[in-house]
């Protein structure tokens, strides 16, 4: 049953009258619930605070007045801005000591210097929730669940599956391209919403001829002098290589891309290819969510951030 949409202030004030003590607003509806449910469950158990998850789409019109309310990152950040302004005018405890946090994907907001600093906003430490899900999942078990085979079969057919994060580094050139195109605000480049056209099949290294072609096209569309473009390209390349060397590639690698690589890897195995194609790529997220276990470092990060969000 959909909750009534009031203005944002009235909506938030309703939480004073509930037994819910901690409210986590989440951005997505596919993978986000699993990740944040694990956090909420443990946080509630350890603190004794009744904790609830709410989707961004539940926010009232005040969060996105021109569109009548919507899901996603922007409404959450706008609601957090309102709450921050309201907290500045109201005494502490205006919401009865509730903890209200807006949980969003970091994406590359840190590189773009667009992070919203607020005690109510909690960014993922990595690029997105999906990165955290993959890190906490047993990938051999995930594949076995989806393809209805034993983990022994998966281990035999796909070597080094738990090293998927290392395999993802083969998308280095595409990540560099995406960061650069976003930074330069090049028109007609969807970048992070696309899978890599440079890595075909997805689990293989980049085709260098395609790399040269794509970057050449990007330069022409950017309308930047060659020297300026080359300088920014070098800076971005240095950054990405630094992150890889320090095991921090997940800060810029989009988590949803992992399934594309995993699917490609499974489809390349003769004995698993038919089952893999029948199951479909997105079904792999079912296996990942089913085999996921919350990492201690992730929980501690969120627990501290949630405590800091208390009104």
């Amino acid at each position: 049953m959909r909750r009534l949409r009031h203005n944002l202030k009235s909506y938030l004030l309703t939480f004073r009258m509930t037994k819910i003590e901690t409210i986590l607003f989440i951005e997505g509806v596919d993978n986000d619930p699993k990740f944040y449910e694990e956090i909420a469950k443990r946080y509630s158990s350890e603190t004794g605070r009744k904790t609830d998850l709410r989707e961004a789409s539940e926010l009232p019109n005040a969060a996105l007045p021109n569109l009548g309310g919507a899901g996603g990152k922007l409404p959450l950040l706008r609601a957090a801005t309102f709450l921050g302004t309201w907290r500045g005018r109201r005494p502490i405890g205006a919401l009865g000591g509730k903890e209200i946090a807006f949980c969003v994907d970091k994406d590359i907001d840190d590189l773009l210097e667009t992070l919203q600093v607020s005690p109510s906003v909690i960014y993922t430490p990595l690029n997105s929730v999906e990165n955290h899900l993959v890190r906490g999942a047993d990938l051999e078990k995930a594949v076995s669940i989806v393809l209805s085979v034993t983990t022994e079969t998966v281990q035999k057919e796909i070597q080094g599956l738990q090293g998927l994060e290392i395999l993802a580094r083969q998308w280095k050139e595409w990540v560099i391209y995406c960061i650069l195109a976003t930074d330069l605000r090049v028109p007609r480049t969807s970048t992070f919403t696309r899978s890599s056209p440079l890595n075909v099949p997805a689990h293989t290294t980049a085709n260098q001829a395609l790399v040269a072609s794509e970057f050449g096209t990007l330069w022409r569309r950017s309308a930047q002098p060659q020297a300026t473009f080359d300088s920014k390209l070098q800076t971005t390349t240095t950054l990405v290589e630094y992150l890889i060397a320090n095991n921090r590639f997940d800060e810029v690698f989009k988590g949803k891309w992992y399934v594309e690589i995993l699917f490609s890897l499974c489809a390349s195995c003769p004995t698993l290819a038919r089952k893999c194609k029948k199951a479909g790529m997105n079904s792999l997220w079912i296996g990942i969510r089913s085999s996921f276990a919350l990492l201690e470092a992730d929980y501690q990060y969120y627990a501290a951030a949630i405590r800091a969000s208390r009104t």
Side-chain angles (χ1 to χ4, degrees):
M1 180 178 178
R2 297 182 66 83
R3 294 178 175 83
L4 292 175
R5 295 177 181 272
H6 310 288
N7 67 64
L8 190 53
K9 181 179 177 180
S10 297
Y11 176 78
L12 292 173
L13 279 172
T14 61
F15 290 119
R16 292 190 65 180
M17 299 178 286
T18 72
K19 294 182 179 180
I20 301 170
E21 298 168 286
T22 300
I23 303 101
L24 305 180
F25 286 93
I26 62 175
E27 178 183 346
V29 297
D30 296 322
N31 293 318
D32 288 36
K34 174 61 178 178
F35 181 65
Y36 290 111
E37 280 169 8
E38 294 298 314
I39 292 171
K41 182 168 59 177
R42 179 171 169 185
Y43 187 77
S44 182
S45 175
E46 293 190 357
T47 64
R49 296 178 65 88
K50 182 173 176 57
T51 304
D52 196 23
L53 299 183
R54 300 294 173 92
E55 294 176 4
S57 58
E58 295 188 22
L59 287 168
N61 294 356
L64 200 58
N66 295 332
L67 299 180
K73 187 173 183 176
L74 183 58
L76 292 183
L77 294 178
R78 289 185 174 182
T81 298
F82 171 82
L83 181 59
T85 302
W86 188 31
R87 290 169 92 178
R89 296 197 304 263
R90 300 277 296 182
I92 297 299
L95 289 175
K98 305 291 186 182
E99 293 170 341
I100 300 179
F102 302 90
C103 305
V104 298
D105 288 346
K106 177 182 72 65
D107 300 318
I108 60 166
D109 292 0
D110 51 341
L111 301 185
L112 300 176
E113 299 183 346
T114 58
L115 289 175
Q116 184 166 315
V117 180
S118 166
S120 298
V121 178
I122 306 178
Y123 286 95
T124 53
L126 304 180
N127 185 269
S128 65
V129 160
E130 285 78 10
N131 296 77
H132 291 276
L133 286 175
V134 170
R135 281 202 173 189
D138 181 334
L139 295 179
E140 291 173 351
K141 182 179 179 181
V143 173
S144 71
I145 290 171
V146 174
L147 302 187
S148 299
V149 297
T150 65
T151 54
E152 289 75 15
T153 298
V154 176
Q155 291 169 355
K156 179 181 177 182
E157 296 297 328
I158 308 177
Q159 300 297 318
L161 189 57
Q162 295 298 342
L164 189 64
E165 295 168 29
I166 297 175
L167 196 60
R169 295 174 186 176
Q170 295 184 143
W171 282 37
K172 179 185 77 171
E173 291 89 349
W174 180 239
V175 171
I176 292 170
Y177 178 98
C178 290
I179 294 173
L180 186 59
T182 303
D183 183 38
L184 293 173
R185 299 182 181 181
V186 179
R188 302 189 304 280
T189 54
S190 51
T191 59
F192 280 100
T193 62
R194 297 168 56 196
S195 60
S196 172
L198 311 178
N199 302 77
V200 183
H203 68 285
T204 61
T205 57
N207 181 314
Q208 293 305 310
L210 291 176
V211 170
S213 175
E214 287 287 342
F215 276 91
T217 300
L218 182 62
W219 166 62
R220 289 190 292 274
R221 288 182 176 175
S222 72
Q224 296 283 332
Q226 181 76 61
T228 301
F229 181 86
D230 289 347
S231 176
K232 286 184 175 291
L233 172 58
Q234 182 57 52
T235 299
T236 306
T237 300
T238 300
L239 169 65
V240 172
E241 289 179 343
Y242 170 81
L243 294 174
I244 289 175
N246 288 274
N247 197 30
R248 293 172 53 191
F249 191 46
D250 262 322
E251 294 178 25
V252 291
F253 182 83
K254 190 174 182 66
K256 289 183 178 179
W257 289 337
Y258 273 119
V259 156
E260 299 185 34
I261 297 174
L262 182 58
F263 182 80
S264 177
L265 194 60
C266 293
S268 69
C269 299
T271 57
L272 299 179
R274 186 174 179 180
K275 285 178 174 286
C276 186
K277 292 174 182 177
K278 183 178 180 180
M281 184 166 61
N282 287 332
S283 67
L284 288 171
W285 281 118
I286 298 173
I288 289 172
R289 292 192 296 266
S290 298
S291 65
F292 171 75
L294 183 64
L295 298 180
E296 182 64 23
D298 287 344
Y299 173 72
Q300 294 300 335
Y301 168 84
Y302 275 94
I306 292 169
R307 287 193 294 270
S309 72
R310 187 172 301 185
T311 57

